[in-house]
Amino acid sequence: MIEDIEKIEIHSWIFVYKEWNKLTRLPIPDRGFEESFREYLYKKVSFDTVSDIRDMGLGLSYSTFSGVSHELDVVCIKNYNIYVFELKHYNESDISKEIIFTFLGKVLDFYFKNIENLSDYKITMFLVTINRDIDDSIRNLCIAYGIKLIDPLFK
């Protein structure tokens, strides 16, 4: 039987490798990437909770340690697992170390404020992108900080 984390990785990769190319682009900045990914993943994996679009509370109405509100693109919860997704629809522009550190910082900011509630959960972070030209230093940075990088090449 395939574990949830494996299903999530497989379906995330299928979305950026194949499904996104089939979809009609919307006239919004991300071309509909976030909404399409959220709907696709929700249909493929059974979650207890999926955050709303533009959710600013880690999908659980939480606040942050810094007091600064953060939007995390998609947050899915199943049992005692929280899956946090940063979605980047960039075709041409680089995925930079600033993107990695900002994503990590947002998740940690929620964690430190809500440690009593979140310490029982396993939090898995995903950076999902359609960019096919990810520098190896970015791949290594994701590995070092425990962020699963999902791109069309999925090295």
Side-chain angles (χ1 to χ4, degrees):
M1 183 174 170
I2 297 177
E3 297 290 323
D4 286 330
I5 189 76
E6 292 168 326
K7 284 182 193 176
I8 293 167
E9 287 184 52
I10 290 166
H11 289 298
S12 296
W13 180 78
I14 289 170
F15 181 83
V16 297
Y17 181 74
K18 184 169 44 171
E19 297 300 321
W20 174 244
N21 294 325
K22 297 176 187 176
L23 299 174
T24 303
R25 303 301 186 256
L26 300 176
I28 57 177
D30 80 344
R31 314 299 288 156
F33 188 68
E34 180 180 332
E35 187 176 339
S36 298
F37 177 80
R38 175 191 315 279
E39 289 174 11
Y40 178 81
L41 193 60
Y42 184 74
K43 289 177 186 174
K44 299 296 182 180
V45 182
S46 174
F47 294 106
D48 299 331
T49 305
V50 177
S51 63
D52 293 328
I53 293 175
R54 308 284 181 254
D55 180 272
M56 303 292 269
L58 193 65
L60 297 164
S61 301
Y62 286 166
S63 58
T64 62
F65 184 76
S66 69
V68 175
S69 296
H70 302 302
E71 177 186 347
L72 293 164
D73 295 330
V74 178
V75 178
C76 302
I77 301 168
K78 183 163 186 180
N79 300 322
Y80 282 94
N81 294 287
I82 299 176
Y83 305 103
V84 184
F85 296 84
E86 181 71 12
L87 306 175
K88 296 298 179 193
H89 70 285
Y90 307 153
N91 259 332
E92 307 287 328
S93 63
D94 292 334
I95 301 296
S96 66
K97 66 181 179 182
E98 288 77 16
I99 290 170
I100 305 301
F101 287 127
T102 299
F103 177 41
L104 179 62
K106 289 177 184 180
V107 174
L108 289 175
D109 201 15
F110 278 110
Y111 186 79
F112 290 142
K113 172 69 175 190
N114 304 283
I115 195 165
E116 299 85 21
N117 298 324
L118 294 175
S119 62
D120 291 334
Y121 286 86
K122 178 179 181 192
I123 299 173
T124 306
M125 297 175 287
F126 294 87
L127 175 62
V128 180
T129 182
I130 59 171
N131 189 315
R132 294 176 176 270
D133 191 27
I134 306 293
D135 188 88
D136 283 342
S137 67
I138 297 301
R139 291 182 188 286
N140 292 335
L141 197 59
C142 286
I143 291 167
Y145 287 100
I147 298 170
K148 294 183 175 288
L149 178 63
I150 308 289
D151 66 300
L153 299 181
F154 201 53
K155 290 183 179 179

